[in-house]
Amino acid sequence: MAKLDGKVAVVTGASSGIGEATAEALAAEGATVVAAARREERLQELTGRIEGSGGRVISVQCDVTDEEQAHELIQRAEQEFGRVDILVNNAGVMLLSKIEKGLSEQWRQMFDVNVLGLLYATDAAIQVMKRQGAGHIINISSVAGRKVRPTGGVYSGTKWAVNAISEGLRQELLEDNIRITVVEPGAVETELASHITDEEVVQEHKRRFGSIEIMQPEDIAGAITYAATQPERVSVNEILIRPTRQAN
Ligand code: NDP
């Protein structure tokens, strides 16, 4: 019997990178997966692959910055499968730039997705998990939730918020048998940096990580699966995970 047989896992930001790998990893452990993101085609490719290897999955198109859509995502999971055991709040954007550039639309987007989107999905999931008497919420933060660098002030601000929210949730929900895990990856090879619009920052990012072997999405999916497959009495609170050769 696989470790997550009978469990239902919702993964946000499942159309690429860490979320995509996590959906596959949790499905491989037996979980029924609800894969959410905005890009429907990419979700279809993912569900095709999971089904092809015998997994159980549906995709739900969802923009987590829309509170109603985030709530509907959790409701849909419960309607389809009767429960929500695991929520992986993974959807995120990293639009690095110096604050003096005043890219306020990008600041808003980062806070909307990384912080508010996480809260909207979490709020809805808590209602279901409380009724079940158990649940596990896994929030994807970052090394940037512990370290601040120039051009990363706002992104770090969102991930600092994720860490604070996660600790608040942990204390609020422990009597409800709801576990909270925060995962803080270093550099992972995904589409995340491809949305940065400041060319100087793009070049600096390439210089910083071009000469070391960074992590693959599966590496973080492995850490998430580890947390999700512990016995119910064990709450893995925090996982900080860097490429071996990443200094800070
Ligand atoms: P990707 O860009 O590959 O994936 C980001 C995912 O978030 C996509 O599936 C995207 O889907 C989704 N997303 C973005 N905006 C929204 C939205 N409004 N509503 C719903 N989904 C949304 O990057 P990663 O896999 O790297 O990022 C995943 C998480 O990991 C993020 O929280 C990121 O901050 C964190 N992280 C990544 C690191 C790295 O080095 N890659 C390091 C540390 C943390 P779509 O566009 O289809 O909606």
Side-chain angles (χ1 to χ4, degrees):
M1 190 173 140
K3 287 182 180 157
L4 296 176
D5 271 350
K7 304 280 186 199
V8 176
V10 177
V11 181
T12 69
S15 60
S16 64
I18 295 169
E20 184 178 11
T22 299
E24 291 198 88
L26 296 178
E29 278 295 347
T32 296
V33 172
V34 178
R38 292 166 306 171
R39 286 172 295 173
E40 224 169 0
E41 252 175 48
R42 295 283 293 263
L43 291 175
Q44 295 305 332
E45 288 166 26
L46 170 71
T47 55
R49 274 203 311 282
I50 292 176
E51 280 166 351
S53 30
R56 216 173 158 212
V57 63
I58 60 164
S59 67
V60 176
Q61 193 179 26
C62 171
D63 182 338
V64 294
T65 67
D66 181 322
E67 186 170 1
E68 212 174 303
Q69 287 187 35
H71 287 180
E72 280 167 6
L73 165 65
I74 303 298
Q75 286 156 7
R76 174 84 193 280
E78 195 189 17
Q79 276 160 13
E80 291 275 337
F81 303 115
R83 49 194 302 116
V84 175
D85 299 285
I86 300 164
L87 166 64
V88 184
N89 280 310
N90 164 79
V93 284
M94 178 186 76
L95 304 166
L96 304 178
S97 68
K98 280 192 182 161
I99 292 165
E100 68 190 29
K101 299 239 165 156
L103 301 179
S104 56
E105 190 48 50
Q106 299 194 354
W107 303 338
R108 272 188 290 277
Q109 196 188 343
M110 284 191 281
F111 273 97
D112 279 348
V113 181
N114 303 3
V115 182
L116 292 171
L118 175 147
L119 283 168
Y120 301 148
T122 296
D123 162 33
I126 289 170
Q127 313 309 318
V128 182
M129 290 172 177
K130 275 194 165 188
R131 283 200 300 275
Q132 291 168 180
H136 193 168
I137 298 170
I138 302 176
N139 293 332
I140 310 306
S141 176
S142 172
V143 165
R146 288 169 161 246
K147 304 270 174 195
V148 187
R149 297 174 56 88
T151 77
V154 180
Y155 178 65
S156 275
T158 68
K159 294 304 190 181
W160 232 271
V162 170
N163 289 9
I165 288 164
S166 300
E167 177 58 11
L169 285 168
R170 189 185 71 77
Q171 294 182 34
E172 287 173 14
L173 296 170
L174 53 86
E175 293 294 344
D176 296 296
N177 198 29
I178 298 174
R179 296 180 285 177
I180 308 293
T181 300
V182 62
V183 180
E184 300 158 318
V188 187
E189 199 174 321
T190 69
E191 296 172 19
L192 194 70
S194 70
H195 307 293
I196 300 170
T197 56
D198 184 328
E199 197 44 41
E200 251 176 67
V201 182
V202 173
Q203 293 313 322
E204 156 62 15
H205 199 75
K206 280 190 183 145
R207 266 196 303 279
R208 191 168 164 226
F209 294 114
S211 61
I212 66 166
E213 184 180 1
I214 63 172
M215 295 184 288
Q216 294 300 314
E218 301 77 55
D219 302 329
I220 312 307
I224 292 166
T225 306
Y226 162 76
T229 53
Q230 294 309 298
E232 215 168 87
R233 65 180 177 274
V234 178
S235 176
V236 178
N237 299 153
E238 194 170 3
I239 301 178
L240 174 62
I241 173 170
R242 286 188 178 89
T244 304
R245 292 174 65 201
Q246 178 177 337
N248 289 299

